[in-house]
Every structure is written in structure tokens, then in C-alpha cells.
Amino acid sequence: MSTSPLSLLRSVIQQPNQPHPRNVKKVPYVELYSGRLQGVVSSGSDIERVYVSFIEANTGDYYCSTNNNRPCSGLGWRQCKHIEEMAEQAIYQYGSLEVARYLGAKTESNDPSWWAIRDALNGSQKRIPASEVFSRFLSYLRFLELPRHDGPAPEMTWFTSR
Amino acid sequence: MTTAWKDILEIPSAVQQSQALIDGFDRCFLVGFGRLGEEHLDTLHSLGRIFGPTPLGEAFAHGLEAIERSEFSETHFQRLAAARAALQGAQHDALLAQLSQTLGRPLHPSSVSQAEAPQAPVGLTEGTRQWLTEIALAGFPQLTRESLDPYLNTLEQLQQNPSSARLALLLTGFLEEISAALPIATPHLVPLRRWVDLWTRAMLLAIRTPSSPTATPVQGSFFPMGVDIHHHPFAVSYTVHGLLQEKDTPPRWIKTTHTSYKVDLLQDAETWQLFEEDPFLEALNAGKSAEIKQGQILDSGDLLPHPDVQIGKPYDALALAKAHLAAEAEKPVALLSPSPIDRHPVQLAFPVWLEGVTRKEDDASSLQLDGTPLRLAEERISLLSGLEQTDLQKVPSMIGLLRYDQDGYAFQPLALVKDAKKGKLIFAGQEASKQAAAKKSKVLEILKERSTRLLRK
């Protein structure tokens, strides 16, 4: 039987590094979640509009629409620039190996480009409602609106991520 | 009389003995309570025997019988959590008693306020206990996305409810941590002690929000000694520690804490902008005392928020540390003990002054105190503290907190003496008040703008 590293036996452990800060203005939200790389991309022309983009792991199927479910006009037989922007920021945040691993893209490189990952996946358009991803983004934003807690918070003693 | 560090840092045998019991209990969380084997049940029975005929012992035995009959009601799991917490509470007390004795520090008993704490809506806490029970039944390695997602809605409501703030902050971090570990490929990579700690803690807080310790009025000079900073991806908390000098009483070690939710991208100095201006952080930055004109302090040593405070005069932190925090201090600082429900080895934060510290040549994190090793608690040092790795590896004199974890004592620095002759100290969190006032936030500003545009629709 293999044993755990000593540090894993402690109550307080060194947490892995947090994500690398991405360009939030361009891509306010991105995550590897529920078998998808998904995120929210700001429109380049309309400040009131955001696009919701995703790529499914393993199949490589993708889609992009506004938060009101209007399909992105840049989508055709290939992926639009929003998906590309989202993927670039995801690579910046998580590292390209992690993105490739999560999406199940088999590439030779130790630092695959987005093009290499995309070509290894080779999917097609698949519509999902934008609301699924968009509500994840709204929950994320809600953290900034939650009430502060003044006074003892002994439970936080367990947490010291870097 | 001074006691050698070797004796001060010796772990009481009772603590070591209960460790084995806790380990056995925790292993049930690997297979899951729905599939316990003989050896797990034996461990649980021996745990039950310790509590014997006490009310907890009877409830525990009853719960255990039910689990053996495959009756998995959440009330039984409340008892399991209470038993584990009681063992750790006893560990905490034994450690604190030994430290206060060997270091000659007076220990103030603490009492709990009669006033009932505001409670979270019953539906939310019930839902939480139910979910925690399901986690325990499955066992950590068997968790999947499907075990977490159904609970998110309840958690979101808990986060919005001030009376469940502590529970929600804990569960937000815990869920995020499990989530990041999925899929759990190898059971031996589960941080078992930690996760069962968090599970136990959540279960206790989901039974009821504990009453706070008794509060009394306070007036005096507060000398900040550094900031202890905690964070998980979605919350950050800071505690200013320091000495309180009141008229005609020995100095006390007290603290004040503020916590805010955040997003994972906020992790550098910008994080401080989540908080309001804080006179204690300002005082620390200015190297001046904070004069508390009127405030309330809990028996646990926690100063209640928003006391009436003015920035005072410069103070000599080095002299204060030597006089009140050294192992041989003539006027040792009085310690306050946490509320009974908060007693856990992790919460031990015993202030000490160390000097003449050397390092092992091949391991700079192994501090040597007259030949007695003491581990540097690197896992507790936040990047937001501003303490530099190079200083941590060589500075011989430090103010900090003695901490305890599974593998013994460790030291968490709050202040490093950069230049002993000039009395120059670098405090953890010293720049916080400046960084909070910088107001050139990028991440926060953009996300808040997105939030006002999109959330209101």
C-alpha cells in the first residue's frame, strides 16, 4: 500500500497555486467544468453584450451565442473568434497542458498551442442553452456582492491557499 | 525559572494516544459509512467506549448501532461529529495547558454568553446536514460532480444569510477544494485528516450557530504585532494580533478579524481593497499604537468590530515582545482561551518571541532553538503577508504564533527582526492598509462593472 506524503496528513496543507490572472476585460469568466471548457466573452463592439462559449471535452463540439441565446454570427463551419479568445485566456489561466488534458486532446507537444488542441479535437456545432453557463458566471459575480463578515471566523484558520 | 524548549515542545502523551483513535475514525471516510468493514466498526466501538456512560457516550453507542443496522439518519452523524470534535477539543486543551505551564503564562478561563446566537433558517441547516451525511456515506474517494452539484443551491442561500456566515465560508472553501480534486484517482491522495476536520466542523455548525463568548467593555492601548491572513479561492480573512495594555492589569494577547468573499482571480495586493479602512492596519503600518477608547472584547480575546479607536504614539515592538512574549519573560502576557466549540489543535495560536534561532544547513524550514527543532509553518504563511522567503530563511529573531498540527508544533512568524540594533521589524500584513487605499484595482473594477450590467437584469 502506498502512503500519503506527510504534508497530506496535516489539517492545514499548502494549497496549489491559484489560477494565473487572465484578461478579465476580454474574458470575464472561464472554467473547466462539467466536461466542458466554457466561459463568457465580452463583445468587442457592444458593452451591454456578452457571448457565452463552450467546447465539449472529447467530442470537441462547440457553440457560441449571446446571453440571450442568439447564435453568434461568427459561427459557421468553424469556431468563432469568441471561442478562440476564451481558449487563449483559459490556456493563460490553467496552462495549455491542463486545458488539453481536460478536453481529452492528444497532442505530442509539452506546450500545445490552441490550434494544436483544436485540431486534435475536431468537433462540430452543438447547441446548448447559454443560460447553463451564464448562470455559473452570475453565481461567480455574486461573490462580490455577498455581505462581509466582521468578527471571529475561526473556520478560516483551515484555509491558506497561496 | 526557564524551561528548555525541548520540554516546552514535547507533545503530551494523551494527545498522541487520541491521535490514533482519530486516525481510525477518519479511515471510515475512505470507504464510506455505507460500506464499513469489521475493522472500521471495531474502531468506532472503541471510540464509543471512551465516552462511556456520559450523555455523548450513550448517544454515540445508539448511533453506532443504527449505522450497523444500515439506518443512516443524519442525527447519528451529528453524534459522530460531536465525538470527534470532543477528542480534538481535549487535545487542544492538553496542548494549551502544557504550553501555559511550561512557559509560565496565565490562562484566562472563558465563558459563553447566555444570549442565543441568531440561527440560520432550519431548512438550510437541515439540507446541509443531509448533504454532509451523504458525503460520509459515500466516502471521499467516491465523490463525483453529482455528489456536489445538488447542494450548491442551499450553499448559495447560506452565503447570503449573516447568521450562517461561518458555516457558509467554511463550506464554500471545502466544496471548492473537493471540486478541484475531482476525479479522485487515488484514495491515498485525499487529505483525509483535513477533510474530516472540515466535515466535522461543518456538521457542528449546521446543528446550530454557537453562542458567542461573554463580552466585556475594554479600554486601553493596543500594540499590533502582525497580521495572520487566511484565504481560499472565494474568501479572504485577516486577523490583526497584538498586545492590549489596560490600566493596572497585565497585558493581554488579543485579536480582531474581518472576512470577505472574493473571486479566485483576486489574489495579490488588490485583495485588500475588498475591506473597509481599518485603524488597526493603519496603526501597524505607521508603527503606532491604536488607542481603544471604547470597545467590547470577547472572553476568547476577540475584539468586537468597530470599536472607537484613535491612532496613538510610536511603540517599541521589540521591547514589548521581549518583556511579555519571551520564554523567560518576567511579565508574561495573559492568554485567552477559545470558546469550547472552537477548541481544536488547529486553532492553537500561542504568541512567542524567539531569538538566537539557527537553521539546519540542508533545511532552512527547520528552525533550531538551542538544538531543539521547530518546523517553520510555511503552509500558514500567506503570500499576502509580504514576508520574504529570504528573510524567513535567515532571520534569527521573530515574533510569531506556535501552531500545532498532526506532526507536532510549528512556528508561524508574525514579525521578523531585520535589524536588531535599530529595532527594525517587518510585520506580516504591514503594507495592507496602503494596498487597501491604492484604489487602482483592475480585476475588481471590471468584474463589478460586469456585475452591475448583467446581474440586475
Side-chain angles (χ1 to χ4, degrees), chain B residues 35-358:
Chain B
R35 280 179 301 271
L36 294 183
E38 277 303 310
E39 78 274 25
H40 302 108
L41 290 167
D42 288 348
T43 315
L44 291 177
H45 279 293
S46 53
L47 184 59
R49 278 192 293 275
I50 294 193
F51 293 97
T54 64
L56 182 56
E58 280 174 33
F60 187 93
H62 178 72
L64 192 51
E65 278 166 29
I67 287 171
E68 282 180 294
R69 288 194 305 270
S70 299
E71 281 174 38
F72 300 124
S73 141
E74 52 100 359
T75 43
H76 305 317
F77 287 87
Q78 291 179 28
R79 275 99 187 230
L80 294 180
R84 188 179 184 273
L87 280 182
Q88 291 182 311
Q91 286 187 320
H92 170 275
D93 290 357
L95 292 162
L96 189 62
Q98 167 154 320
L99 284 179
S100 71
Q101 199 191 354
T102 52
L103 283 164
R105 306 270 181 93
L107 193 59
H108 280 233
S110 79
S111 67
V112 175
S113 156
Q114 296 296 315
E116 172 92 2
Q119 299 293 321
V122 173
L124 296 183
T125 45
E126 246 175 39
T128 301
R129 296 198 302 267
Q130 195 54 50
W131 177 74
L132 289 166
T133 300
E134 281 160 25
I135 297 276
L137 287 175
F140 292 129
Q142 287 70 247
L143 294 181
T144 61
R145 175 69 41 214
E146 286 68 40
S147 352
L148 308 185
D149 282 354
Y151 179 66
L152 292 179
N153 187 26
T154 309
L155 179 59
E156 213 164 87
Q157 293 176 63
L158 274 184
Q159 287 162 345
Q160 279 155 12
N161 198 307
S163 46
S164 52
R166 285 171 50 180
L167 176 60
L169 286 163
L170 166 72
L171 282 171
T172 305
F174 190 21
L175 245 89
E176 185 57 28
E177 202 169 309
I178 299 177
S179 199
L182 293 179
I184 298 166
T186 35
H188 75 273
L189 286 179
V190 169
L192 191 59
R193 163 60 49 94
R194 172 179 173 78
W195 283 8
V196 185
D197 270 3
L198 297 175
W199 180 90
T200 305
R201 193 75 203 142
M203 187 57 110
L204 291 187
L205 291 179
I207 297 172
R208 57 182 300 103
T209 304
S211 296
S212 85
T214 311
T216 41
V218 69
Q219 207 176 32
S221 302
F222 176 75
F223 305 108
M225 291 288 177
V227 187
D228 181 18
I229 304 153
H230 295 279
H231 28 115
H232 59 60
F234 293 100
V236 54
S237 179
Y238 73 87
T239 301
V240 185
H241 286 265
L243 280 168
L244 174 72
Q245 181 70 70
E246 291 156 294
K247 222 177 157 196
D248 307 325
T249 54
R252 284 194 272 177
W253 184 262
I254 67 161
K255 54 197 198 293
T256 143
T257 303
H258 298 275
T259 307
S260 171
Y261 282 97
K262 70 178 188 81
V263 291
D264 52 356
L265 287 185
L266 268 181
Q267 36 190 292
D268 57 9
E270 194 183 336
T271 308
W272 292 109
Q273 296 182 19
L274 290 165
F275 295 101
E276 286 177 333
E277 278 179 19
D278 181 342
F280 295 106
L281 288 181
E282 278 172 47
L284 177 67
N285 185 261
K288 292 176 177 168
S289 71
E291 300 298 320
I292 302 171
K293 303 288 172 202
Q294 203 177 11
Q296 292 272 321
I297 192 163
L298 300 179
D299 268 2
S300 55
D302 289 285
L303 196 62
L304 287 185
H306 313 302
D308 180 5
V309 174
Q310 278 173 12
I311 305 290
K313 295 195 180 106
Y315 65 103
D316 186 347
L318 207 55
L320 284 169
K322 284 179 184 170
H324 306 301
L325 303 178
E328 62 278 14
E330 276 178 26
K331 287 187 201 153
V333 66
L335 295 170
L336 300 120
S337 25
S339 223
I341 191 161
D342 293 335
R343 290 180 192 167
H344 182 289
V346 151
Q347 304 295 352
L348 198 79
F350 198 94
V352 283
W353 158 253
L354 301 180
E355 59 187 335
V357 176
T358 55

